[in-house]
Amino acid sequence: MAVVEQSASRAAPLPATAGLSAWVSTVDHKRIGILYVATSLAFFAIGGIEAMLIRWQLWAPGARVLGPEIFNQLFTMHGTTMVFFVGMPILIGFGNYLVPLMIGARDMAFPRLNAMSYWLFAFGGTLTYASFFAGGAPDVGWFAYAPLTEYAFSRGHSTDYWILGLMTSGIGTLAGAVNLVTTILTFRAPGMTLGKVPLFVWMMLVDGVLLIFAIPPLTAAQIMLLFDRSLGAHFFDTQAGGSAVLWQHMFWFFGHPEVYILALPAFGMISEIVPVFSRKVIFGYESVAAATIAIGFISMGVWAHHMFTVGLSDALDAIFSGVTFLIAVPTGIKVFNWIATLYGGRLRMATPMLFALGFLGMFLMGGLTGIMLASVPIDWQVSDSYFVVAHFHYVLFGGTMFALMAGFYYWFPKATGRMMSERLGRWHFWLMLLGFNLTFFPMHIAGLMGMPRRIYTYSADRGWTVWNQLSTAGATVLGVAFAIFFWNLFLSLRRGKPGGDDPWDAWTLEWATTSPPPPYNFEEIPLVRSRRPLWDLKHPEDPDWMHE
Amino acid sequence: MSQAGLPQSISPARRFERHAPTFELGAAHSAQVGMVCFLCSEVAFFGTLVVAYITYIGQSTAGPTPAEALSIPLAVANTICLVASSFTAHLAGTAMHRGGLGGFRGWLAATIALGALFLAGTAVEWRSLIFEHGLTIGRNLFGTTYYTLVGFHAAHVTVGVLLLSLMFCLSATAALSRLRTGGFEIVSWYWHFVDTVWIVVFAVVYVFGR
Ligand code: HEM
């Protein structure tokens, strides 16, 4: 490692690449990636504060921290923010930064389109939040069920802000997806066949395809809703023959692939990090890639498992339940691949690895409650209860967020040239693990006891109080954990210890260039012969391509 | 972790073997892939609108019905325009590949004219629907779904006509060599796609939906 460290000759930024205007006008994929990630982190702080307020209102029965109207706005904005302005853009940001580096390219396929994607996202997010200053934020829940969203029931413009904000950022996301897929298909370095790209790239490819097919139906549905609200159309107007259930179908046709859109890049990060910190190649590369494709296909056919309680028909319920069980198979395959990679490895318990292991445990929990919910009778019992809230936070937070944190600690040195503090990282990890479970595990129990989601208060005689207090206490711990994370980012950026080009002794191409990489990434486009090109370079006596 | 043999001061980035890039990195290639990706998203978009249309066939609680309001001869004439324009677009492409600037511009102009004719036909149709049949987007579910589906398609035709006109203007300048790199090809893919969507719309709205 010492070898590479000495070569950390960080090029002084050229005058034209410094300063605010350079960031605003940039078309460099690395800078756009950083802009994505930084903006998403700001939204994450906002969404986190909203969650805190929700939790404080639920601390005690009959609490008056927030009124019911504000409460409705907060859970709607929390869910919307976390999904659309944190989850998707931060993952696209990592993809933006990493994919060209990992495939040995100089930039994305369409750099200007890339900048447009980012700015549409930033503008869409801001527009949605502007609703707070225009008479109140959206309060219809993150999936905005009709007919509550029709003008008769949702006066004012809060719902229009929701529609237009998400549509704007959605177009940006779509353009970003087109860009990612095109980059991966056409910009790979010579020799890097699709069978040799890092698994993160595989997952971003399938992610991009999912986005391409999932975002437009949402946009179309939102346009219909907009026409209903402002032109007097009748799509979801039940009194004129319209159907509220159609909105649910269309929303979840987007919404369920969306869950995998938020999960796949996280799986990709884990598939990069676990091997490097186990000092082994990933177990079953082909099966991980194949499972990703399988997940992509199946995820398009499970949407109505969000609608078991609507009363579709027994046959439909049975089909969607079956397909939902089916998607657990490729997901399970991946979990086995990661565990098999760990097995017999020389594990290095650095912070990225801690978060990766945390991911494995927490995501597994979420997956198991997911299988419970896939069976229709159980779902009928606990649908729309806190059990569901617990389930999807184990997947989205326990899964995606833990993986993202692993990604932050792992790639921060690449993007900045500096290491994040391991000491603070450990505090962050253990507090997050504790706070996360303290917040969300009790929600399973509250849900089983019958506590519905989206209620702003409850009475003392229901026996839910203690579980809610545990959750609120846990949320406070989570708040501290994330304060440490932000402090760590800030501190490490200013005086983290230099990381060198390849601090983790890794094997993929992003570690083959300097930290941070020059604007053109690679002086020479590398020639790739195996899945671990940097290993080949470091070990000419025993290169991978002799064995693969 | 033996790393013997790496000179101490050289970043690995600089030490890959020299070679000529063999993989396709050209702009035309990625533009093609990008257009295909975009058209896939359009399939999903129009698919959703069509599903909504089909769901609501016969669900209106008030008139007029499609059978009363829609004029088949006009729709057929429109369809002929658009289908013909796909052929002329194809001929323009063939002419360009042969290097015939005159042929290219002629067929391109024909394509633009046919597209504009289609839009004019739609305008006539909407005028009659609105003023003779009183069908607006808020009148009933038929109006709601009809104007949304047909309107979004017409908007796509409009964009197509604008893009083709842009190509026409470019061909008047010295930029034909740029067109050759694939610009026209990609615009023509878009145009063929919009035509195909119309076939579906025609089948759903004017044949099955009546
Ligand atoms: C920072 C820690 C977090 C806490 C304390 C938290 C807490 C909560 C709570 C209590 C609810 C239920 C509100 C209700 O039903 O009344 C909720 C809803 C939700 N959360 Fe979180 N959450 C956190 C992070 C996240 C993350 C990271 C995501 C996704 C990436 C997320 C996505 C959602 C969604 C989609 C909803 C549903 C909103 C709705 O019902 O419309 N949350 N959260």
Side-chain angles (χ1 to χ4, degrees):
Chain A
M1 254 186 277
V3 181
V4 203
E5 230 152 71
Q6 291 179 6
S7 64
S9 54
R10 291 215 279 136
L14 305 169
T17 63
L20 185 64
S21 67
W23 279 93
V24 172
S25 62
T26 187
V27 293
D28 178 83
H29 74 97
K30 296 180 290 301
R31 290 193 158 203
I32 292 174
I34 290 173
L35 284 174
Y36 260 116
V37 170
T39 314
S40 312
L41 280 180
F43 278 116
F44 180 68
I46 298 172
I49 291 170
E50 286 160 353
M52 269 335 172
L53 292 172
I54 292 173
R55 281 313 327 161
W56 278 106
Q57 165 62 22
L58 293 175
W59 165 260
R64 301 290 316 172
V65 180
L66 315 162
E69 290 85 13
I70 298 287
F71 188 87
N72 289 354
Q73 296 177 16
L74 286 183
F75 75 67
T76 303
M77 288 303 279
H78 165 72
T80 303
T81 305
M82 289 298 187
V83 170
F84 292 94
F85 307 136
V86 179
M88 268 198 291
I90 205 166
L91 296 168
I92 292 182
F94 270 86
N96 236 300
Y97 194 96
L98 294 171
V99 163
L101 285 169
M102 285 183 164
I103 62 175
R106 295 228 148 98
D107 206 320
M108 297 282 277
F110 311 112
R112 278 176 292 184
L113 189 72
N114 203 15
M116 186 192 89
S117 301
Y118 165 74
W119 289 105
L120 282 176
F121 147 60
F123 182 65
T126 317
L127 184 64
T128 313
Y129 267 90
S131 60
F132 272 110
F133 309 102
D139 55 1
V140 288
W142 86 279
F143 40 70
Y145 272 0
L148 267 186
T149 45
E150 293 286 290
Y151 196 67
F153 305 106
S154 168
R155 298 269 157 177
H157 288 298
S158 61
T159 303
D160 302 315
Y161 275 94
W162 183 85
I163 297 172
L164 291 171
L166 294 197
M167 247 163 67
T168 310
S169 73
I171 294 168
T173 311
L174 183 64
V178 169
N179 212 344
L180 267 174
V181 172
T182 308
T183 308
I184 296 171
L185 290 183
T186 63
F187 269 38
R188 299 189 310 278
M192 184 173 269
T193 58
L194 276 180
K196 291 197 179 71
V197 298
L199 281 168
F200 178 75
V201 176
W202 253 113
M203 313 251 177
M204 287 311 296
L205 177 63
V206 176
D207 214 51
V209 173
L210 279 180
L211 282 167
I212 286 172
F213 285 103
I215 298 270
L218 175 67
T219 307
Q222 288 177 323
I223 288 171
M224 296 177 198
L225 184 57
L226 196 64
F227 283 1
D228 273 14
R229 290 178 55 82
S230 41
L231 301 180
H234 304 293
F235 281 105
F236 309 115
D237 172 5
T238 42
Q239 289 187 333
S243 158
V245 176
L246 185 67
W247 169 269
Q248 299 195 12
H249 277 296
M250 295 202 248
F251 185 88
W252 290 116
F253 187 80
F254 149 80
H256 203 83
E258 170 67 15
V259 175
Y260 286 90
I261 287 164
L262 294 174
L264 283 179
F267 293 173
M269 293 179 184
I270 297 300
S271 306
E272 296 303 320
I273 292 169
V274 164
V276 168
F277 289 86
S278 308
R279 310 312 299 154
K280 284 172 68 189
V281 294
I282 184 98
F283 180 88
Y285 174 97
E286 291 86 352
S287 60
V288 179
T292 307
I293 299 173
I295 288 177
F297 276 110
I298 305 178
S299 75
M300 299 261 183
V302 296
W303 75 89
H305 72 210
H306 296 268
M307 299 165 61
F308 285 153
T309 51
V310 171
L312 296 175
S313 74
D314 285 353
L316 274 183
D317 281 356
I319 293 172
F320 277 102
S321 168
V323 182
T324 307
F325 283 124
L326 202 62
I327 203 166
V329 175
T331 314
I333 290 179
K334 290 192 179 183
V335 174
F336 283 118
N337 278 301
W338 294 320
I339 294 175
T341 309
L342 290 168
Y343 181 78
R346 267 192 290 133
L347 307 193
R348 290 190 307 197
M349 287 298 169
T351 314
M353 183 61 155
L354 289 181
F355 277 103
L357 295 178
F359 161 91
L360 283 181
M362 299 303 104
F363 180 75
L364 182 66
M365 275 283 299
L368 291 177
T369 50
I371 292 181
M372 291 169 71
L373 290 169
S375 72
V376 181
I378 295 185
D379 186 75
W380 281 354
Q381 198 64 32
V382 295
S383 181
D384 267 327
S385 78
Y386 259 85
F387 188 84
V388 171
V389 178
H391 155 68
F392 67 70
H393 281 90
Y394 267 86
V395 184
L396 290 176
F397 195 124
T400 303
M401 265 297 148
F402 271 78
L404 259 171
M405 291 302 136
F408 264 101
Y409 283 88
Y410 182 59
W411 281 295
F412 185 88
K414 179 46 60 185
T416 65
R418 292 176 187 276
M419 306 294 286
M420 287 182 76
S421 156
E422 279 284 312
R423 194 173 52 84
L424 289 178
R426 264 152 223 279
W427 277 101
H428 171 198
F429 171 73
W430 289 108
L431 285 176
M432 184 162 141
L433 191 71
L434 173 75
F436 170 72
N437 283 295
L438 198 55
T439 310
F440 294 106
F441 195 84
M443 289 186 189
H444 290 113
I445 299 168
L448 289 176
M449 292 172 74
M451 180 169 170
R453 70 194 279 196
R454 297 177 170 172
I455 53 169
Y456 87 104
T457 194
Y458 50 93
S459 67
D461 56 6
R462 305 303 295 263
W464 304 336
T465 314
V466 59
W467 306 113
N468 277 289
Q469 294 187 332
L470 287 175
S471 280
T472 302
T476 314
V477 177
L478 270 181
V480 174
F482 277 103
I484 295 177
F485 169 65
F486 280 108
W487 177 239
N488 195 353
L489 278 183
F490 175 77
L491 212 63
S492 308
L493 207 54
R494 310 196 74 194
R495 41 192 163 92
K497 84 175 191 295
D501 294 347
D502 180 21
W504 311 114
D505 190 16
W507 306 308
T508 38
L509 280 179
E510 77 271 29
W511 304 104
T513 183
T514 53
S515 301
Y520 44 85
N521 291 352
F522 303 96
E523 256 169 43
E524 282 169 41
I525 301 286
L527 179 70
V528 177
R529 290 194 173 157
S530 79
R531 288 176 192 146
R532 301 194 300 168
L534 193 53
W535 168 279
D536 297 351
L537 196 71
K538 292 179 200 165
H539 303 271
E541 74 292 349
D542 180 29
D544 266 6
W545 48 265
M546 299 206 353
H547 312 293
E548 259 174 21
Chain B
M1 277 193 284
S2 113
Q3 296 188 342
L6 277 185
Q8 298 282 304
S9 60
I10 299 179
S11 168
R14 294 163 206 166
R15 300 185 59 262
F16 283 102
E17 312 156 47
R18 279 200 170 278
H19 62 86
T22 51
F23 198 81
E24 173 67 79
L25 290 166
H29 188 69
S30 52
Q32 287 169 336
V33 175
M35 184 47 107
V36 170
C37 290
F38 170 68
L39 292 181
C40 285
S41 80
E42 291 278 56
V43 170
F45 180 79
F46 277 107
T48 311
L49 295 185
V50 167
V51 164
Y53 193 93
I54 293 176
T55 309
Y56 288 141
I57 287 178
Q59 302 292 317
S60 296
T61 51
T65 65
E68 290 160 10
L70 294 179
S71 146
I72 293 296
L74 189 56
V76 170
N78 262 349
T79 309
I80 292 173
C81 284
L82 219 48
V83 172
S85 80
S86 254
F87 281 102
T88 52
H90 179 73
L91 290 172
T94 326
M96 189 177 75
H97 279 295
R98 289 216 204 89
L101 183 58
F104 171 69
R105 301 191 65 195
W107 288 120
L108 187 56
T111 313
I112 295 170
L114 286 167
L117 214 56
F118 172 87
L119 289 175
T122 306
V124 171
E125 185 183 24
W126 284 29
R127 201 187 130 72
S128 127
L129 285 177
I130 294 170
F131 295 109
E132 287 163 28
H133 298 277
L135 184 73
T136 59
I137 194 166
R139 173 76 187 217
N140 59 14
L141 264 179
F142 166 52
T144 295
T145 49
Y146 171 84
Y147 284 112
T148 307
L149 178 58
V150 174
F152 267 102
H153 177 264
H156 279 72
V157 176
T158 311
V159 170
V161 168
L162 290 176
L163 286 174
L164 291 169
S165 309
L166 187 71
M167 288 284 142
F168 191 80
C169 299
L170 283 178
S171 75
T173 69
L176 185 63
S177 57
R178 301 232 352 238
L179 295 182
R180 278 218 185 105
T181 61
F184 177 73
E185 189 189 11
I186 285 164
V187 171
S188 74
W189 288 358
Y190 173 84
W191 188 253
H192 294 314
F193 169 80
V194 172
D195 288 359
T196 316
V197 171
W198 177 254
I199 306 288
V200 175
V201 171
F202 182 79
V204 167
V205 175
Y206 297 91
V207 181
F208 300 117
R210 244 169 128 248

